[in-house]
Coordinates of all heavy atoms in Angstrom, one line a residue:
A1 N 14.6 -10.9 12.8 CA 14.0 -10.2 11.7 C 13.7 -8.7 12.1 O 13.5 -8.4 13.4 CB 12.8 -10.9 11.2
Y2 N 13.8 -7.8 11.2 CA 13.3 -6.5 11.4 C 11.8 -6.3 11.1 O 11.3 -7.0 10.2 CB 14.1 -5.5 10.5 CG 15.6 -5.5 10.6 CD1 16.3 -6.2 9.7 CD2 16.2 -4.8 11.6 CE1 17.8 -6.2 9.8 CE2 17.6 -4.8 11.8 CZ 18.3 -5.5 10.8 OH 19.7 -5.6 11.0
L3 N 11.1 -5.5 11.9 CA 9.8 -5.1 11.6 C 9.8 -4.0 10.6 O 10.4 -3.0 10.8 CB 9.1 -4.7 12.9 CG 7.7 -4.1 12.7 CD1 6.7 -5.1 12.2 CD2 7.2 -3.5 14.0
V4 N 9.0 -4.1 9.6 CA 8.9 -3.1 8.5 C 7.5 -2.7 8.5 O 6.6 -3.5 8.4 CB 9.2 -3.6 7.1 CG1 9.4 -2.5 6.1 CG2 10.6 -4.4 7.1
A5 N 7.2 -1.3 8.6 CA 5.8 -0.8 8.6 C 5.6 0.3 7.6 O 6.6 1.1 7.5 CB 5.5 -0.3 10.1
A6 N 4.4 0.4 7.0 CA 4.2 1.4 6.0 C 2.8 1.7 6.1 O 1.9 0.8 6.3 CB 4.6 1.0 4.6
S7 N 2.3 3.0 5.7 CA 0.9 3.3 5.8 C 0.7 4.3 4.6 O 1.4 5.3 4.4 CB 0.5 4.0 7.1 OG -0.8 4.3 7.1
D8 N -0.3 4.1 3.8 CA -0.7 4.9 2.7 C -2.2 4.8 2.4 O -2.9 3.9 2.7 CB 0.0 4.4 1.4 CG 1.3 5.2 1.1 OD1 1.4 6.4 1.3 OD2 2.2 4.5 0.6
P9 N -2.7 6.0 2.0 CA -4.2 6.0 1.6 C -4.3 5.8 0.0 O -3.3 5.9 -0.7 CB -4.6 7.4 2.0 CG -3.4 8.3 1.7 CD -2.1 7.3 1.9
I10 N -5.5 5.7 -0.4 CA -5.9 5.8 -1.9 C -6.8 7.0 -2.0 O -7.8 7.0 -1.4 CB -6.4 4.6 -2.5 CG1 -5.5 3.4 -2.4 CG2 -7.0 4.8 -3.8 CD1 -4.3 3.6 -3.3
V11 N -6.4 8.0 -2.8 CA -7.3 9.2 -2.8 C -7.6 9.5 -4.3 O -8.6 10.3 -4.4 CB -6.4 10.5 -2.2 CG1 -6.2 10.2 -0.8 CG2 -5.2 10.7 -3.0
G12 N -7.1 8.9 -5.2 CA -7.4 9.4 -6.6 C -8.3 8.3 -7.4 O -9.2 8.7 -8.2
A13 N -8.2 7.1 -7.1 CA -8.9 6.1 -7.9 C -10.2 5.7 -7.3 O -10.5 5.9 -6.0 CB -8.1 4.8 -8.0
Q14 N -11.2 5.3 -8.1 CA -12.4 4.8 -7.7 C -12.6 3.3 -7.9 O -12.5 2.6 -7.0 CB -13.6 5.5 -8.4 CG -13.6 7.0 -8.2 CD -13.9 7.4 -6.7 OE1 -14.7 6.7 -6.0 NE2 -13.2 8.4 -6.2
K15 N -12.5 2.9 -9.2 CA -12.6 1.5 -9.4 C -11.2 0.8 -9.0 O -10.1 1.3 -9.3 CB -12.8 1.3 -11.0 CG -14.2 1.6 -11.5 CD -14.4 1.4 -12.9 CE -15.8 1.7 -13.4 NZ -16.0 1.5 -14.8
G16 N -11.4 -0.3 -8.4 CA -10.1 -1.1 -8.0 C -9.5 -0.5 -6.8 O -8.2 -0.8 -6.6
A17 N -10.1 0.5 -6.1 CA -9.3 1.1 -5.0 C -8.9 0.2 -4.0 O -7.8 0.4 -3.3 CB -10.3 2.3 -4.5
G18 N -9.7 -0.8 -3.6 CA -9.2 -1.8 -2.6 C -7.9 -2.5 -3.0 O -7.0 -2.8 -2.3
H19 N -7.9 -2.9 -4.4 CA -6.7 -3.6 -4.9 C -5.4 -2.7 -4.8 O -4.3 -3.1 -4.4 CB -6.9 -4.0 -6.3 CG -7.9 -5.1 -6.5 ND1 -7.8 -6.3 -5.8 CD2 -9.1 -5.2 -7.2 CE1 -8.8 -7.0 -6.2 NE2 -9.6 -6.4 -7.0
L20 N -5.7 -1.4 -5.2 CA -4.5 -0.4 -5.1 C -4.1 -0.1 -3.7 O -2.9 -0.1 -3.4 CB -5.1 0.9 -5.7 CG -5.1 1.0 -7.2 CD1 -5.8 2.3 -7.7 CD2 -3.8 0.9 -7.9
L21 N -5.0 -0.2 -2.8 CA -4.6 0.0 -1.4 C -3.6 -1.0 -0.9 O -2.7 -0.7 -0.3 CB -5.9 0.1 -0.5 CG -5.6 0.4 1.0 CD1 -5.2 1.9 1.1 CD2 -6.8 0.1 1.8
V22 N -4.0 -2.3 -1.2 CA -3.0 -3.3 -0.9 C -1.7 -3.2 -1.5 O -0.6 -3.3 -1.0 CB -3.6 -4.7 -1.1 CG1 -2.7 -5.8 -0.8 CG2 -4.9 -4.9 -0.3
A23 N -1.8 -2.9 -2.8 CA -0.6 -2.8 -3.7 C 0.4 -1.8 -3.3 O 1.6 -2.0 -3.1 CB -0.9 -2.6 -5.2
V24 N 0.0 -0.6 -3.0 CA 0.9 0.5 -2.6 C 1.5 0.3 -1.3 O 2.7 0.6 -1.1 CB 0.2 1.9 -2.8 CG1 -0.3 2.2 -4.2 CG2 -0.9 2.0 -1.8
N25 N 0.8 -0.3 -0.3 CA 1.3 -0.5 1.0 C 2.3 -1.7 0.9 O 3.3 -1.7 1.6 CB 0.2 -0.8 1.9 CG -0.5 0.6 2.4 OD1 0.1 1.3 3.3 ND2 -1.6 1.0 1.9
A26 N 1.9 -2.7 0.2 CA 2.8 -3.9 0.1 C 4.1 -3.5 -0.6 O 5.2 -4.1 -0.3 CB 2.1 -5.0 -0.6
N27 N 4.0 -2.6 -1.6 CA 5.2 -2.2 -2.3 C 6.2 -1.5 -1.4 O 7.4 -1.8 -1.6 CB 4.8 -1.3 -3.4 CG 4.2 -2.0 -4.6 OD1 4.2 -3.2 -4.7 ND2 3.7 -1.3 -5.6
D28 N 5.7 -0.7 -0.5 CA 6.6 -0.1 0.4 C 7.4 -1.1 1.3 O 8.6 -0.8 1.6 CB 5.8 0.9 1.3 CG 5.4 2.1 0.6 OD1 6.0 2.4 -0.6 OD2 4.5 2.8 1.0
I29 N 6.8 -2.1 1.7 CA 7.4 -3.2 2.5 C 8.5 -3.9 1.6 O 9.6 -4.1 2.1 CB 6.5 -4.2 3.0 CG1 5.4 -3.5 3.9 CG2 7.1 -5.3 3.8 CD1 5.8 -2.9 5.1
A30 N 8.1 -4.2 0.4 CA 9.1 -4.9 -0.5 C 10.3 -4.0 -0.8 O 11.4 -4.5 -1.0 CB 8.4 -5.1 -1.8
C31 N 10.1 -2.8 -0.9 CA 11.2 -1.8 -1.1 C 12.2 -1.8 0.1 O 13.3 -1.2 -0.1 CB 10.7 -0.4 -1.4 SG 10.0 -0.2 -3.1

């Protein structure tokens, strides 16, 4: 298997920022 790595911050949202942090980073792996 290949190792896929991604890193992103959350800078705009307040509510639900933790959920967004997981989503945007997981999306990059899925792509």
Side-chain angles (χ1 to χ4, degrees):
Y2 299 100
L3 171 66
V4 189
S7 184
D8 265 320
I10 294 297
V11 295
Q14 297 298 320
K15 292 184 178 179
H19 294 303
L20 283 172
L21 186 70
V22 176
V24 298
N25 281 281
N27 285 352
D28 287 343
I29 302 298
C31 285

